[in-house]
Amino acid sequence: MWGREMSAADEAISTQDMIARRSRLLGPAYRLFYDQPVQFVRGEGVWLHDAAGNRYLDAYNNVASVGHCHPHVVQAIARQAAVLNTHTRYLHETVLDFAEKLLATFPHQIGHVMFTCTGSEANDLALRVARTCTGGTGFIVTANAYHGVTSALTELSPSLGLPRPDASHARLIPAPGSEANAGEVFARHVSAALEDMRKCGIKPAALLVDTIFSSDGVFADPPGFLRPAVEAVRAEGALFIADEVQPGFGRCGEQMWGFARHDLVPDLVTMGKPMGNGHPVAGMAARPELLAEFGRRSRYFNTFGGNPVSAAAGIAVLDVIESEGLMQNAQHTGDYLVKLLRQLKARYPLIAEIRSAGLFVGVELRHGGQTGTPATAEAARVVNLLRERRVLISSAGPQGNVLKIRPPLVFGTEHADLLVQRLDQALAEVNVTQEK
Ligand code: PMP
């Protein structure tokens, strides 16, 4: 039913063939995960199946947030695709139903949503709105931020490691730490960046942050730490753009949006990844007064953004988050997972810190505790050892020493048990190798 199942030997040959073909066809800029790349042919809930019929526990993919191939989402897409797919220049009820349902998840000050196909497009649009509304050009981002693939965003995405082509309007600040006065320290960095812009004659447009700081290594606590920084940028007439591509749609536990953890109302909110559970739908939500100015000066059309099929997918995702209690599950399973990880921390000194919000978990590995050297090679090894044990995670942070655990939100405590059991084995193996 799922295509031919292969033997392990056939699979190894097929994987090598596919890698060669891929690099011949797609060129050298793409990267694959894992020392031994995997070829998946089917997904279901928290499971991915490879071509040889093996099942992998997915503790990494936040796009298929309500579970791989969730039937309610698949049916919604198929049903709408069979009837009509056009664009936002025609009237269509489903698009409006989606906008209404989505806006209902925001604080009342956020009153409009504009649809795109990717998180990058959403952020790019947010940059344009911020520039138009403030007359500024300066943006503040964190030192290992990732915000997207457009030319404008690569300049604001230092994690890409590219020499930024023209970043004179960008100011990079250190990501927040997890100390008790993290808010104060972060605000101080923001104020220093604003001061530097002033000196250089750059008018600030916005502070743009991923509210879970995922590529910086996952920083969620203490809740509310973003507030002083946001007050500082607003005092200069600049905006706060919350990039919710990673933390949004219930991942951080009992709240739908990462910014809610900080008791803030952003000026612009960008979202994507889990919004269509794999269908490419993304968007930017905004305070109406900002879009009034933007709409007066420009018009907006995105050929595929917000088409009726995307809208049907988006509605279905919101339905599932609600009907299956996935925000509550993210909180409950996340808490349970962190409890198990703390037990591992007591046994493995390599685990320096565990940081989390709901089902977004970062496990930082260092030699010699929190102030020790980053255990980058060990983190990569743990990720690969887990892949061999058929559990999928990845790593994050500027040194790549933070294990990034970010499963579909249908992850249950039984899945957390399995993940931690395999992680225990991987850490034990890394320890043995170190002792040799
Ligand atoms: N912002 C953040 C925080 C992201 O993690 C990503 C994607 N990794 C993006 C924006 C860009 O989204 P997309 O890949 O859909 O363009």
Side-chain angles (χ1 to χ4, degrees), residues 7 12 20 25 36 41 46 62 76 90 100 104 116 141 166 205 215 247 254 266 287 304 360 375-376 391 397 409 429:
S7 71
L25 295 169
Q36 277 179 279
V41 294
V46 296
N62 62 340
Y90 298 112
E100 204 157 58
T116 64
V141 294
D166 171 21
S215 55
E254 272 155 11
R287 292 180 184 250
F304 300 115
F360 211 130
T376 305
V391 173
L409 301 184
E429 197 163 321

Side-chain angles (χ1 to χ4, degrees), residues 117-121 123 146-149 210 214 243 245-246 272-273:
C117 306
T118 67
S120 299
E121 285 182 338
N123 275 331
Y146 180 76
H147 293 294
V149 295
D210 163 358
S214 67
D243 181 335
V245 169
Q246 293 275 347
K273 281 191 189 283

Side-chain angles (χ1 to χ4, degrees), residues 300-312:
Y300 177 74
F301 175 61
N302 185 318
T303 302
F304 300 115
N307 69 62
V309 173
S310 299

Side-chain angles (χ1 to χ4, degrees), residues 153-235:
L153 289 164
T154 54
E155 292 167 14
L156 299 173
S157 297
S159 69
L160 287 175
L162 295 169
R164 282 164 294 120
D166 171 21
S168 61
H169 60 279
R171 289 295 176 276
L172 310 188
I173 55 169
S178 36
E179 61 276 5
N181 68 340
E184 201 186 305
V185 176
F186 192 62
R188 227 181 289 137
H189 289 304
V190 167
S191 297
L194 290 166
E195 178 58 33
D196 191 50
M197 282 188 195
R198 207 174 300 128
K199 271 195 215 137
C200 299
I202 296 170
K203 188 169 159 42
L207 167 69
L208 166 63
V209 296
D210 163 358
T211 60
I212 189 79
F213 297 91
S214 67
S215 55
D216 282 294
V218 186
F219 292 93
D221 287 318
F225 75 71
L226 269 175
R227 282 182 68 97
V230 171
E231 282 162 17
V233 286
R234 284 189 173 147

